[in-house]
Amino acid sequence: MEQRGFAQRLKERSKFTLVAVLFVFHVVVRAQIQYSISEEQQDGAAVGNIAKDLGIDQRTLKERGFRIVSTSGESLFSVNQNDGVLYVNGKIDREEVCERITPCLVNLKIALENPLEIHYVTIEILDINDHSPSFPESEMHLEIGESALPGARFQLQAARDYDSGSNSVNHYKLSHSDNFRLEVKDRGEDGKIPILVLQKPLDREITHSINLQLTAVDGGKPSKSGTMEIAINVLDINDNVPVFTNKVYSVMLNENAPVGTIVIQVNATDSDDGANGEIVYSFGKNVKSKVRKLFDINSINGEIIVKGQLDYEVKDSYEIDIQASDKGLIPMTTDKSVTIKIVDINDNAPEIEVTSFSNTIPEDSRPGTTVALISVSDSDSGINGKVSCSVGDEMPFKLIPSSQQSTYSLVSTSHLDREMELQYEITLIARDAGQPSLSSVKTITVLISDVNDNSPYFSFSPYAFYVVENNVPGKSLFSVSASDKDSNENAVISYQIWRDGSEGNKLPSFVNINSENGEIYALRSFDFETVKMFNFQVLATDSGSPSLSSNVTVNVFILDQNDNVPVILYPVSANGSAEGVEEIPRNVNAGHLVTKVRAYDADIGYNGWLLFSLQEVSDHSLFSLDRYTGQIRTLRSFTETDEAQHKLVILVKDNGNVSLSATATVIVKVVEPKEAFAASDVTNAVKDEEENNVTFYLIITLGSVSVLFIISIIVLIVMQCSKSTDYSSKYLQDMNYDGTLCHSIQYRSGDKRYMLVGPRMSIGSTLAPGSKRNTLVIPDRRRGDSGE
């Protein structure tokens, strides 16, 4: 009892909660009501009192806005707000509202406000038998051959009735006929389908047409019906099939035959008359679409024509089924096969395929090295597909046929040299044996890889460089350069000076070389007066494995600078100073040789060409100094008033760009003739001895220079003979040196003969011209002058 009371309270509480929710939203939903009316009701016919059936106070309907708010057929009905009655709004036709839908329901939603209430009303529209069955056509024509067998079925058009249910088509009736009976097939929603069944063979000679009437009856009470006339035309029998005139049809056709070419014409006949004897040609049903794209057939005359591009390499023959059909109502057909054989023509160029290819081979590869495997093919057949392959004659490669047909090996035929030819563009030519012949060309590139087979070579051999003495140690003097015809690491060159370590070859230690660029640096300052020329060997080595090398001789000629001060040879006093005393008689005539200042310069050329001048003299009218020989002579005779002692300061200066000089002092004492006579003999003897000594020294010096010159010429000749004539000529031309070390200029001054010894320079030389030695005084044998 306690549980039951708890359940009752829970139920009441739930109802209270639902009422509260509906109160909050002011909506009350009532139960659904349903009405039923028949179609074809007149406008304004009452359906039912909604207010009464829903228990709503009719007095409040208008105030609460009693109305229809939505419906699937709102325009079909209306509601009265005064009494709540639902009325038909216009005439209702069920077939228009629901067509074939059963049952036909119309849903309405009824609303009241304050409080809001929604009610649902369903009206079912009932069908009445207001439509008769009807056929799509009033008359139907059938053509049935007299050869039709009993049991043949002919489907007729079904009648249609817009009513539903039992009011729709119920059954069919067929007028009396000995040849036909009626069957009905029920297809559910699609209705009942009448079928005309032949139960007795037709005979066109007895009757050529039959007229029947088909009646459709519905199930209404009273029932309604509709009729259709059936006119049957009995056709003649097509009892003869077409016959082809030839038993076999076969033809040969060239590939690539133009579109429109007539391949063959087939022909068939039919013994029937009229349309039954007229023939129509077509392809068989099993002929594939690919064949239909290549061929077409004229349906009237049986000509088969080319429609697409024929290719023997795609298919070499076709067997096509041809059908010959008459035009009978029931056509009769005969099949025949036509064989078309495609004749090959040479329309495909050979194809070249490189199956295996080494695009890089080393240059030291032996002749016969395989570079590539070549295969050739031709889609044509017979002689048109026979292919030969070749390469150009100028190439160091050839094709060797292999054991497999149409396969070749491309091999080298001679030694390769990358430095002569970096790569080869090999043209492969494939040609078939057809008429006319077709060919294909394919080019492959073969790269020749480098091996270290070339030694470095120098731009010149030997090298000759000129270096001015007193150079700065560590400064670049010149450079040598070598090249290598190889590539990459094989062409990377390093330089070194060849030092044999012997005691007699220490001069190469004066220089060093940059191993990377061949720049040669001096390790010390050169002195022309000590070393005038030296040579050494430079070795160039590449970075190949194994490495290769070559050497070149470098001749270095030291050029003189004016770095030596003239040295006074005479006069020289006992203490070593350039000062001397000369005594001459007072009665000497003008032009008398007082003395000669002798000097020496270790430099050569202009740097060693000395000039003499009076820097200081007590009487300018008494003495003169020869500019080139250094001879001091009297200009006039002495008088009683002239001083007995005279001081002459002579300046000896070379001809360098920045000249260097030295001075000598000569004291000339004038004595009486008797004293001078005795002293003169002694002085002349001394002078003759000195002249002879100086001459001897000069001869030795000139002889030494000549010997050095001859040795240099011999060395150059030997070096040139080891090289080509053209290169030697170029080398000698670049040296700007004609081989003559000295030249002399002889001239006469008074009763003396002089010779100026100096360098002989070639045209275009950059060296400053000048003498190699001092000015020499040559004894004049013709005059026998002992004073010189």
Side-chain angles (χ1 to χ4, degrees):
M1 288 295 291
E2 186 177 356
Q3 291 180 353
R4 189 172 180 184
F6 176 76
Q8 185 66 26
R9 289 195 300 271
L10 182 60
K11 184 176 182 181
E12 291 175 358
R13 185 176 298 176
S14 299
K15 289 182 179 180
F16 176 77
T17 303
L18 178 60
V19 171
V21 172
L22 293 177
F23 178 77
V24 170
F25 289 98
H26 302 283
V27 177
V28 177
V29 179
R30 300 292 186 183
Q32 182 173 339
I33 60 176
Q34 182 171 344
Y35 300 103
S36 297
I37 62 170
S38 299
E39 63 173 332
E40 304 295 336
Q41 294 286 340
Q42 297 298 323
D43 183 19
V47 179
N49 193 324
I50 297 175
K52 181 179 179 182
D53 294 336
L54 294 175
I56 302 173
D57 188 357
Q58 297 180 358
R59 294 172 298 179
T60 62
L61 293 178
K62 195 168 187 178
E63 295 177 0
R64 297 182 62 185
F66 182 71
R67 69 186 185 280
I68 300 174
V69 294
S70 66
T71 177
S72 57
E74 183 177 356
S75 61
L76 299 178
F77 302 95
S78 63
V79 67
N80 191 325
Q81 291 184 341
N82 294 322
D83 55 8
V85 177
L86 183 66
Y87 296 96
V88 174
N89 188 14
K91 187 178 180 180
I92 296 177
D93 187 353
R94 180 191 179 282
E95 284 71 33
E96 290 182 2
V97 176
C98 297
E99 294 184 356
R100 292 182 174 273
I101 298 175
T102 302
C104 181
L105 301 176
V106 177
N107 296 314
L108 299 178
K109 183 185 290 185
I110 306 299
L112 294 96
E113 297 179 357
N114 300 321
L116 179 61
E117 293 183 12
I118 301 297
H119 301 278
Y120 294 94
V121 178
T122 301
I123 301 106
E124 180 181 5
I125 301 174
L126 303 177
D127 183 49
I128 63 173
N129 192 19
D130 56 346
H131 292 86
S132 299
S134 63
F135 289 91
E137 297 177 356
S138 61
E139 186 176 359
M140 181 178 181
H141 295 273
L142 290 178
E143 292 181 344
I144 301 175
E146 60 178 337
S147 59
L149 299 177
R153 301 164 64 85
F154 304 94
Q155 184 172 312
L156 305 178
Q157 291 180 336
R160 182 177 182 183
D161 194 326
Y162 291 100
D163 294 324
S164 63
S166 61
N167 293 328
S168 62
V169 176
N170 182 265
H171 63 276
Y172 292 93
K173 294 188 297 182
L174 183 66
S175 59
H176 176 75
S177 174
D178 295 332
N179 299 96
F180 294 95
R181 62 182 176 86
L182 184 67
E183 287 185 1
V184 178
K185 186 175 183 179
D186 191 353
R187 290 191 176 177
E189 293 182 357
D190 293 335
K192 294 178 172 60
I193 307 299
I195 297 175
L196 192 63
V197 180
L198 180 64
Q199 60 183 2
K200 183 179 178 181
L202 298 175
D203 189 350
R204 189 177 184 279
E205 286 69 32
I206 298 176
T207 176
H208 64 278
S209 63
I210 300 174
N211 293 319
L212 301 175
Q213 186 181 59
L214 179 64
T215 303
V217 181
D218 62 21
K221 293 182 180 180
S223 63
K224 294 183 178 182
S225 63
T227 62
M228 179 180 67
E229 299 295 329
I230 300 175
I232 300 174
N233 185 21
V234 181
L235 302 177
D236 186 26
I237 298 176
N238 185 16
D239 55 353
N240 291 286
V241 297
V243 177
F244 284 94
T245 57
N246 294 347
K247 292 183 178 180
V248 177
Y249 287 95
S250 180
V251 67
M252 306 287 287
L253 179 64
N254 288 338
E255 65 173 332
N256 299 329
V259 174
T261 300
I262 297 175
V263 180
I264 194 173
Q265 183 177 14
V266 297
N267 186 36
T269 59
D270 195 319
S271 301
D272 293 327
D273 293 331
N276 293 333
E278 295 182 11
I279 306 299
V280 176
Y281 301 95
S282 63
F283 287 132
K285 296 181 180 179
N286 294 325
V287 176
K288 295 180 180 180
S289 60
K290 291 183 179 180
V291 178
R292 295 177 184 271
K293 292 180 181 179
L294 297 177
F295 300 98
D296 200 0
I297 188 169
N298 190 314
S299 61
I300 297 174
N301 58 21
E303 289 180 346
I304 298 176
I305 59 177
V306 176
K307 182 181 179 182
Q309 188 71 28
L310 298 175
D311 191 350
Y312 173 87
E313 288 69 40
V314 175
K315 192 173 180 62
D316 59 358
S317 66
Y318 297 90
E319 187 172 354
I320 305 175
D321 292 332
I322 305 298
Q323 286 186 345
S325 302
D326 58 28
K327 293 184 178 180
L329 294 177
I330 302 177
M332 302 190 73
T333 303
T334 301
D335 295 332
K336 180 65 69 174
S337 293
V338 176
T339 301
I340 302 174
K341 295 182 179 180
I342 308 302
V343 179
D344 181 42
I345 62 175
N346 193 22
D347 61 338
N348 290 281
E351 294 182 357
I352 303 173
E353 181 181 3
V354 181
T355 56
S356 179
F357 178 44
S358 299
N359 62 344
T360 302
I361 61 173
E363 60 178 324
D364 60 349
S365 299
R366 294 181 179 180
T369 300
T370 300
V371 178
L373 295 180
I374 310 297
S375 62
V376 293
S377 60
D378 196 317
S379 300
D380 296 320
S381 63
I383 194 171
N384 295 331
K386 187 176 181 180
V387 183
S388 61
C389 191
S390 62
V391 296
D393 296 334
E394 69 281 0
M395 291 289 177
F397 299 94
K398 68 177 181 180
L399 288 173
I400 300 177
S402 65
S403 57
Q404 296 181 355
Q405 188 177 4
S406 301
T407 303
Y408 299 84
S409 297
L410 180 65
V411 300
S412 60
T413 58
S414 61
H415 289 284
L416 305 175
D417 188 354
R418 191 202 68 85
E419 288 69 43
M420 297 295 294
E421 196 72 35
L422 180 62
Q423 66 181 28
Y424 292 92
E425 300 291 335
I426 303 176
T427 301
L428 304 173
I429 303 173
R431 191 180 305 276
D432 61 28
Q435 292 296 332
S437 177
L438 298 178
S439 61
S440 296
V441 175
K442 187 167 188 176
T443 301
I444 61 175
T445 301
V446 177
L447 302 177
I448 309 302
S449 61
D450 185 51
V451 296
N452 193 25
D453 58 346
N454 288 278
S455 300
Y457 62 93
F458 287 91
S459 306
F460 302 95
S461 180
Y463 279 94
F465 297 104
Y466 297 88
V467 179
V468 179
E469 66 173 333
N470 301 321
N471 58 292
V472 178
K475 185 177 180 181
S476 175
L477 300 178
F478 45 82
S479 65
V480 296
S481 177
S483 302
D484 197 315
K485 293 181 180 180
D486 295 321
S487 64
N488 301 326
E489 292 184 357
N490 295 332
V492 177
I493 298 175
S494 61
Y495 303 89
Q496 64 179 2
I497 295 178
W498 177 257
R499 310 181 195 274
D500 56 9
S502 61
E503 290 293 329
N505 189 19
K506 293 184 177 180
L507 291 178
S509 63
F510 295 171
V511 293
N512 201 0
I513 190 170
N514 187 317
S515 62
E516 295 180 357
N517 57 21
E519 289 282 343
I520 296 178
Y521 302 88
L523 299 179
R524 53 163 287 181
S525 179
F526 298 114
D527 185 6
F528 173 81
E529 288 71 34
T530 302
V531 178
K532 294 180 174 55
M533 179 263 185
F534 67 93
N535 56 45
F536 57 91
Q537 298 284 327
V538 173
L539 185 66
T541 305
D542 61 29
S543 299
S545 180
S547 61
L548 300 177
S549 62
S550 61
N551 63 326
V552 69
T553 299
V554 179
N555 295 312
V556 181
F557 297 92
I558 310 302
L559 301 179
D560 182 46
Q561 279 190 327
N562 191 23
D563 59 343
N564 289 281
V565 177
V567 177
I568 305 299
L569 299 178
Y570 182 84
V572 178
S573 64
N575 59 5
S577 62
E579 183 175 335
V581 177
E582 296 289 340
E583 292 183 353
I584 60 172
R586 184 177 290 275
N587 61 352
V588 294
N589 296 325
H592 176 75
L593 177 63
V594 178
T595 187
K596 179 179 180 180
V597 178
R598 297 182 179 88
Y600 167 79
D601 195 321
D603 298 319
I604 65 170
Y606 279 109
N607 295 331
W609 188 0
L610 301 180
L611 297 177
F612 302 87
S613 63
L614 283 172
Q615 187 177 22
E616 182 181 341
V617 62
S618 58
D619 190 345
H620 289 280
S621 64
L622 274 177
F623 302 99
S624 67
L625 176 65
D626 190 288
R627 177 177 178 82
Y628 301 104
T629 64
Q631 293 179 349
I632 300 174
R633 294 180 180 274
T634 58
L635 292 175
R636 61 179 176 81
S637 301
F638 288 95
T639 63
E640 294 295 332
T641 61
D642 291 330
E643 295 291 336
Q645 182 173 323
H646 300 273
K647 181 180 180 182
L648 284 73
V649 179
I650 292 89
L651 177 66
V652 183
K653 181 174 64 173
D654 59 28
N655 278 273
N657 289 333
V658 179
S659 62
L660 302 177
S661 62
T663 59
T665 302
V666 177
I667 305 297
V668 179
K669 293 183 179 181
V670 181
V671 298
E672 294 303 322
K674 293 181 180 180
E675 298 176 2
F677 178 78
S680 175
D681 293 338
V682 176
T683 303
N684 286 336
V686 174
K687 287 184 177 180
D688 289 340
E689 183 180 358
E690 292 178 354
E691 290 285 350
N692 292 334
N693 291 335
V694 171
T695 302
F696 176 74
Y697 293 149
L698 291 177
I699 290 172
I700 292 175
T701 302
L702 289 176
S704 300
V705 171
S706 299
V707 170
L708 290 175
F709 171 72
I710 292 172
I711 293 173
S712 300
I713 292 299
I714 293 173
V715 171
L716 290 176
I717 291 174
V718 171
M719 294 173 64
Q720 295 305 317
C721 289
S722 64
K723 303 295 179 181
S724 64
T725 305
D726 295 339
Y727 189 81
S728 300
S729 300
K730 180 178 179 181
Y731 166 69
L732 291 176
Q733 182 180 358
D734 290 343
M735 289 176 61
N736 286 328
Y737 182 67
D738 59 4
T740 302
L741 297 180
C742 301
H743 76 288
S744 64
I745 301 174
Q746 296 187 21
Y747 62 93
R748 186 176 297 278
S749 177
D751 57 352
K752 303 293 182 180
R753 186 164 60 90
Y754 304 95
M755 180 176 68
L756 178 64
V757 181
R760 182 171 183 177
M761 307 302 293
S762 63
I763 297 175
S765 174
T766 58
L767 297 178
S771 65
K772 279 179 176 285
R773 299 293 299 169
N774 297 331
T775 302
L776 303 181
V777 180
I778 303 176
D780 194 342
R781 303 297 181 184
R782 294 175 298 175
R783 293 180 180 271
D785 192 350
S786 61
E788 185 176 346

